[in-house]
Amino acid sequence: MPVQVSTSERVEVRDVTDAVASEIPADASGVATVFVQHTTAGVTVNEAESGLLGDVEDVLSQLVPEGGGWAHDRIDDNADAHLRAMLVGNAATIPVEDGDLQLGTWQSVLLFEGDGPRTRTLRVTVTD
Ligand code: ZN
Protein backbone atom coordinates (compact mmCIF):
# COMPACT_ATOMS: atom_id res chain seq x y z
CA MET A 1 0.00 0.00 0.00
CA PRO A 2 1.29 3.49 -0.73
CA VAL A 3 1.91 5.97 2.03
CA GLN A 4 0.61 9.44 1.14
CA VAL A 5 2.25 12.41 2.84
CA SER A 6 1.03 15.98 2.34
CA THR A 7 3.79 18.52 2.77
CA SER A 8 3.21 22.15 3.69
CA GLU A 9 6.34 24.04 2.61
CA ARG A 10 8.36 24.30 -0.59
CA VAL A 11 11.35 22.78 1.22
CA GLU A 12 11.01 20.73 4.37
CA VAL A 13 12.24 17.57 6.05
CA ARG A 14 9.68 15.63 8.04
CA ASP A 15 9.53 12.50 10.13
CA VAL A 16 7.42 9.83 8.38
CA THR A 17 8.40 6.90 10.61
CA ASP A 18 4.90 6.24 11.96
CA ALA A 19 3.30 6.31 8.51
CA VAL A 20 5.93 3.89 7.17
CA ALA A 21 5.67 1.60 10.21
CA SER A 22 1.90 1.37 9.76
CA GLU A 23 2.47 -0.29 6.36
CA ILE A 24 4.58 -3.15 7.74
CA PRO A 25 2.53 -6.36 8.14
CA ALA A 26 2.48 -7.62 11.73
CA ASP A 27 4.15 -10.93 10.84
CA ALA A 28 6.75 -9.52 8.43
CA SER A 29 10.46 -10.15 8.86
CA GLY A 30 13.14 -9.22 6.34
CA VAL A 31 14.14 -5.93 4.80
CA ALA A 32 11.81 -3.00 4.23
CA THR A 33 12.45 -0.75 1.26
CA VAL A 34 10.95 2.72 1.48
CA PHE A 35 10.88 4.21 -2.03
CA VAL A 36 9.78 7.73 -2.92
CA GLN A 37 8.03 7.92 -6.30
CA HIS A 38 9.15 11.43 -7.19
CA THR A 39 12.09 13.28 -8.73
CA THR A 40 11.99 16.27 -6.40
CA ALA A 41 11.65 14.47 -3.06
CA GLY A 42 13.92 12.07 -1.20
CA VAL A 43 14.00 9.70 1.73
CA THR A 44 16.70 8.89 4.26
CA VAL A 45 17.17 7.68 7.83
CA ASN A 46 18.52 9.97 10.54
CA GLU A 47 17.63 11.82 13.72
CA ALA A 48 14.37 13.80 13.70
CA GLU A 49 15.61 16.57 15.98
CA SER A 50 14.08 19.87 14.84
CA GLY A 51 17.37 21.76 14.72
CA LEU A 52 18.98 19.00 12.68
CA LEU A 53 16.05 18.92 10.23
CA GLY A 54 16.60 22.63 9.67
CA ASP A 55 20.33 22.02 9.27
CA VAL A 56 19.59 19.53 6.49
CA GLU A 57 17.54 22.14 4.66
CA ASP A 58 20.34 24.68 5.15
CA VAL A 59 23.16 22.46 3.92
CA LEU A 60 21.19 21.38 0.85
CA SER A 61 20.45 25.05 0.09
CA GLN A 62 24.13 25.90 0.42
CA LEU A 63 25.24 23.01 -1.78
CA VAL A 64 22.51 23.56 -4.39
CA PRO A 65 21.34 27.19 -4.36
CA GLU A 66 17.93 28.03 -5.83
CA GLY A 67 18.39 29.86 -9.15
CA GLY A 68 22.03 28.80 -9.33
CA GLY A 69 22.15 28.96 -13.13
CA TRP A 70 21.01 25.34 -13.53
CA ALA A 71 20.19 24.18 -17.07
CA HIS A 72 16.90 22.54 -16.02
CA ASP A 73 15.59 25.91 -14.81
CA ARG A 74 15.27 26.91 -18.49
CA ILE A 75 12.37 24.49 -18.96
CA ASP A 76 11.09 23.85 -15.41
CA ASP A 77 11.94 26.22 -12.61
CA ASN A 78 12.88 23.61 -10.02
CA ALA A 79 16.38 22.32 -10.79
CA ASP A 80 17.41 22.89 -7.18
CA ALA A 81 14.70 20.48 -6.04
CA HIS A 82 15.83 17.71 -8.41
CA LEU A 83 19.51 18.13 -7.50
CA ARG A 84 18.86 18.21 -3.75
CA ALA A 85 16.63 15.13 -4.03
CA MET A 86 19.45 13.26 -5.78
CA LEU A 87 21.80 14.09 -2.91
CA VAL A 88 19.30 12.75 -0.36
CA GLY A 89 18.50 9.63 -2.40
CA ASN A 90 15.18 8.04 -3.32
CA ALA A 91 15.08 4.97 -1.07
CA ALA A 92 15.96 3.65 2.38
CA THR A 93 16.36 0.06 3.50
CA ILE A 94 15.52 -0.93 7.06
CA PRO A 95 15.60 -4.37 8.73
CA VAL A 96 12.24 -5.67 9.95
CA GLU A 97 11.60 -8.27 12.66
CA ASP A 98 8.12 -9.51 13.53
CA GLY A 99 6.49 -6.46 12.00
CA ASP A 100 8.72 -3.89 13.67
CA LEU A 101 11.21 -1.60 11.94
CA GLN A 102 14.61 -2.22 13.51
CA LEU A 103 15.59 1.42 13.75
CA GLY A 104 18.22 2.57 16.22
CA THR A 105 17.24 4.69 19.21
CA TRP A 106 17.83 7.98 17.41
CA GLN A 107 16.85 6.89 13.91
CA SER A 108 13.72 8.02 12.09
CA VAL A 109 12.59 7.77 8.48
CA LEU A 110 12.82 11.26 7.01
CA LEU A 111 11.09 12.56 3.89
CA PHE A 112 12.82 15.40 2.07
CA GLU A 113 10.41 17.69 0.22
CA GLY A 114 12.17 19.78 -2.40
CA ASP A 115 9.33 21.36 -4.37
CA GLY A 116 6.23 21.42 -2.22
CA PRO A 117 3.71 21.75 -0.96
CA ARG A 118 2.51 18.53 -2.58
CA THR A 119 1.14 15.13 -1.75
CA ARG A 120 4.01 12.63 -1.92
CA THR A 121 3.77 8.88 -2.34
CA LEU A 122 6.08 6.44 -0.60
CA ARG A 123 6.06 2.75 -1.49
CA VAL A 124 6.90 0.40 1.36
CA THR A 125 7.75 -3.20 0.53
CA VAL A 126 9.14 -5.96 2.73
CA THR A 127 11.19 -8.79 1.28
CA ASP A 128 12.27 -11.83 3.30
ZN1 ZN B 1 11.76 19.80 -13.01
Side-chain angles (χ1 to χ4, degrees), residues 6-25:
S6 295
T7 60
S8 53
E9 308 288 338
R10 178 168 191 265
V11 177
E12 64 179 281
V13 183
R14 70 164 57 194
D15 184 352
V16 295
T17 307
D18 290 346
V20 170
S22 72
E23 292 301 312
I24 308 293

Side-chain angles (χ1 to χ4, degrees), residues 68-81:
W70 312 115
H72 183 67
D73 283 341
R74 283 185 241 133
I75 60 132
D76 190 14
D77 193 27
N78 65 353
D80 61 317

Side-chain angles (χ1 to χ4, degrees), residues 33-46:
T33 300
V34 184
F35 179 81
V36 63
Q37 290 187 303
H38 305 278
T39 60
T40 56
V43 66
T44 190
V45 173
N46 214 291

